[in-house]
Amino acid sequence: MTVPRPSAANLRAAAEHFGFHLDEDAQRAYLAAVTHTLRSYDVVDELYRDLCDHSAPPQPPDRVYRFPEPGDNPLGAWYVTADIASGATGPLSGRTVAIKDNIAVAGIPMMNGSRAVEGYVPSRDATVVHRLLAAGATIAGKSVCEDLCCSGSSFTSASGPVRNPWDPTRETGGSSSGSGALVAAGEVELALGGDQGGSVRIPAALCGIVGLKPTYGLVPYTGAFPIERTIDHLGPMTRTVADAAVMLTVLAGPDGHDPRQPATIAPVDYRSALTGDATGLRVGILAEGFGWANSRPEVDELVRSAARRFTEIGGTVGDISVPLHRRGIHVFNVIITDGATYQMLEGNGYGLGVDGLYDPELMAHFVRQRVVKADQFASTIKATALCGHYNRNTLGCASYAKARNLVPQLRAAYDGALERFDVLVMPTVPGTANPLPEGNPQDVGLLPHASGKAVNTAPMDITGHPAISVPAGLADGLPVGMIIVGKRFDDATVLKVAGAFETLRGGFPQPPY
């Protein structure tokens, strides 16, 4: 296959982008030089077709799926439904799972909430999908997510809003909106979510389920559509802490393809950590996680009261201050804005410059679609792109570099608090589920509805600490989540504390819808 050659107009556009001033003779000479270099691109195409395990183009397996009818999808939470099983037996035998639609399931369409991805059919299962199937799980379909996973609410998906089963006029939270709604409604037992700023924990909190963002690098991201390599996480969303522990045991460990992961990770049976006993555990109530401008006082008090209950089962509870926590959201905002613009948009998801398994077919599909469908992006994507492009081209991404250099300081601040306490707790979201806004996802006026929920969740995406949201109670009939944060790669303690609280709290009610 021959790579398309540039025209003189293509070369002039490239020169203008870089600020080159070339006369006609120079343009002809550079066009010849570029054309010569592209011969190597032809050879790479041939080698990829002939030598790689995935022939060009790879052929997806023949798997049956269907797009649900509106009457079968009242919450708008399913993108496609399926019934995929490997026949294997294991710890998830007989359990149904929904896969967030930014994660590849071979032979099943992927939309990632966006017209810019719509129509793509992966040829390979993501590592996490392969591990779930090998553990006996049955994949029931793909759950709707927000447009390119960039919203803390649930109204930006190109397929329509996702509704909360506690009150269908309200949001589920995002961006793993469909996964949260389906687990809460009992349509599946388990789900996978992705978390780059709280996208597992926010919908878990607002839907009254459990959502775990594991330690950065613990669960392989291979085969999921990236946003920014330094903050990409995948994690379980379940009804119970025990189910989250079983899923994490199945999902965790290096796959040899994901540059986010350390080379070795000791296997852990996370289910065995759930003793229900908090004796000797030290729980720190993080002062700066309360009293935000958009906090509801009754939510703050509910979470404080829930945390103090650890003393009933042998734990000790105290207050702790991490002043930098209040600034963490700003460090995160710079990283995701510049990073997502550079990697996800201009880098077509994967970017360049690191080892790992790329998806060239998805990259080629996305680069075509994101230009043709650009006006259909939600306002969250457009605002990110415009700000990120300005910063990259005017400030040279210096602010991104500064933010990344601040991450060790923020990480050390949490680590210092975690020397005094085994875990830190605070509200997952400062409030409860808001009404779904009226209007079009492209409306810039709706931007405030998509933001503001990640103030307590986003910092852990840049520092890498494990964090789980568990239902703490109800406020005005809507779920409130409590986030539990622990030391990096000590996910077992986070799950142990969450499990102990779940036992202490007792059963959590089912949503009415």
Side-chain angles (χ1 to χ4, degrees):
M1 177 179 178
T2 302
V3 172
R5 273 22 182 190
S7 65
N10 294 145
L11 195 77
R12 284 195 296 272
E16 183 178 347
H17 173 79
F18 285 105
F20 301 154
H21 298 88
L22 306 176
D23 60 26
E24 290 188 5
D25 288 342
Q27 289 180 38
R28 284 192 292 270
Y30 279 114
L31 183 61
V34 169
T35 300
H36 176 78
T37 301
L38 288 173
R39 291 168 55 190
S40 294
Y41 290 62
D42 295 337
V43 173
V44 166
D45 266 16
E46 295 170 5
L47 289 171
Y48 182 74
R49 181 183 64 238
D50 296 340
L51 300 182
C52 288
D53 292 337
H54 27 274
S55 60
Q59 295 303 307
D62 186 17
R63 284 172 168 168
V64 177
Y65 62 89
R66 73 181 186 92
F67 292 98
E69 298 293 331
D72 299 329
N73 193 24
L75 299 175
W78 286 114
Y79 177 53
V80 297
T81 57
D83 185 12
I84 303 168
S86 67
T89 58
L92 297 178
S93 291
R95 311 299 297 277
T96 55
V97 58
I99 307 296
K100 183 179 181 180
D101 192 38
N102 71 325
I103 302 169
V105 178
I108 305 297
M110 173 191 283
M111 188 182 191
N112 198 15
S114 182
R115 299 296 181 200
V117 182
E118 187 176 25
Y120 180 67
V121 179
S123 60
R124 297 175 288 274
D125 285 332
T127 299
V128 287
V129 170
H130 172 77
R131 289 179 177 177
L132 289 171
L133 290 171
T138 297
I139 293 173
K142 305 293 291 295
S143 57
V144 170
C145 60
E146 300 307 294
D147 194 345
L148 298 185
C149 298
C150 289
S151 173
S153 187
S154 63
F155 65 90
T156 71
S157 176
S159 63
V162 179
R163 301 181 180 278
N164 195 314
W166 288 87
D167 179 349
T169 69
R170 294 180 181 269
E171 64 188 354
T172 64
S175 65
S176 305
S177 43
S179 288
L182 291 170
V183 172
E187 295 196 35
V188 290
E189 299 172 79
L190 316 168
L192 272 180
D195 196 311
Q196 280 94 355
S199 291
V200 162
R201 293 159 289 158
I202 292 170
L206 299 187
C207 291
I209 64 170
V210 175
L212 171 64
K213 182 203 78 68
T215 299
Y216 176 77
L218 181 62
V219 173
Y221 201 84
T222 308
F225 196 105
I227 289 182
E228 212 278 351
R229 194 171 282 106
T230 67
I231 59 174
D232 291 329
H233 300 73
L234 299 176
M237 301 175 72
T238 60
R239 289 289 305 175
T240 68
V241 175
D243 280 347
V246 173
M247 282 189 74
L248 184 60
T249 302
V250 168
L251 298 171
D255 70 351
H257 297 299
D258 184 1
R260 302 164 186 80
Q261 295 194 279
T264 58
I265 298 172
V268 176
D269 176 7
Y270 293 99
R271 181 68 177 83
S272 65
L274 308 184
T275 63
D277 181 15
T279 301
L281 288 172
R282 301 163 300 165
V283 177
I285 300 175
L286 183 63
E288 287 77 13
F290 299 78
W292 291 92
N294 60 338
S295 290
R296 289 181 56 185
E298 61 270 41
V299 168
D300 280 357
E301 183 51 37
L302 192 157
V303 172
R304 281 197 180 95
S305 296
R308 294 188 191 108
R309 293 197 64 192
F310 281 105
T311 59
E312 299 174 24
I313 51 175
T316 59
V317 179
D319 295 319
I320 184 71
S321 176
V322 180
L324 273 179
H325 178 73
R326 286 279 173 157
R327 304 299 183 92
I329 186 64
H330 300 290
V331 179
F332 164 82
N333 283 341
V334 171
I335 289 172
I336 195 170
T337 300
D338 286 9
T341 302
Y342 181 72
Q343 180 182 322
M344 180 178 71
L345 294 174
E346 296 181 346
N348 302 305
Y350 285 78
L352 305 171
V354 298
D355 284 336
L357 184 64
Y358 289 73
D359 190 334
E361 291 76 37
L362 175 56
M363 295 171 76
H365 177 88
F366 184 59
V367 73
R368 294 189 299 268
Q369 292 268 103
R370 69 174 172 84
V371 176
V372 174
K373 304 290 186 180
D375 284 337
Q376 297 182 50
F377 276 130
S379 58
T380 52
I381 302 299
K382 292 175 183 173
T384 296
L386 292 171
C387 186
H389 185 270
Y390 169 78
N391 290 333
R392 180 182 175 191
N393 289 277
T394 304
L395 305 178
C397 288
S399 295
Y400 177 92
K402 292 174 183 177
R404 287 302 319 170
N405 287 348
L406 286 169
V407 168
Q409 311 266 354
L410 183 61
R411 184 181 294 132
Y414 293 122
D415 287 344
L418 288 165
E419 290 178 3
R420 290 183 54 192
F421 294 96
D422 297 298
V423 295
L424 309 176
V425 301
M426 59 192 137
T428 309
V429 177
T432 54
N434 293 320
L436 282 163
E438 296 182 2
N440 191 300
Q442 287 83 45
D443 292 346
V444 68
L446 296 186
L447 275 173
H449 293 273
S451 60
K453 298 177 181 65
V455 289
N456 285 339
T457 57
M460 283 78 227
D461 286 281
I462 57 176
T463 65
H465 292 87
I468 191 170
S469 179
V470 294
L474 298 175
D476 296 329
L478 295 171
V480 171
M482 177 172 68
I483 194 170
I484 302 169
V485 181
K487 300 178 180 71
R488 283 168 293 147
F489 291 102
D490 190 14
D491 298 60
T493 295
V494 170
L495 285 160
K496 180 177 183 177
V497 174
F501 176 75
E502 185 177 71
T503 300
L504 180 65
R505 184 203 64 214
F508 196 72
Q510 297 284 328
Y513 296 96

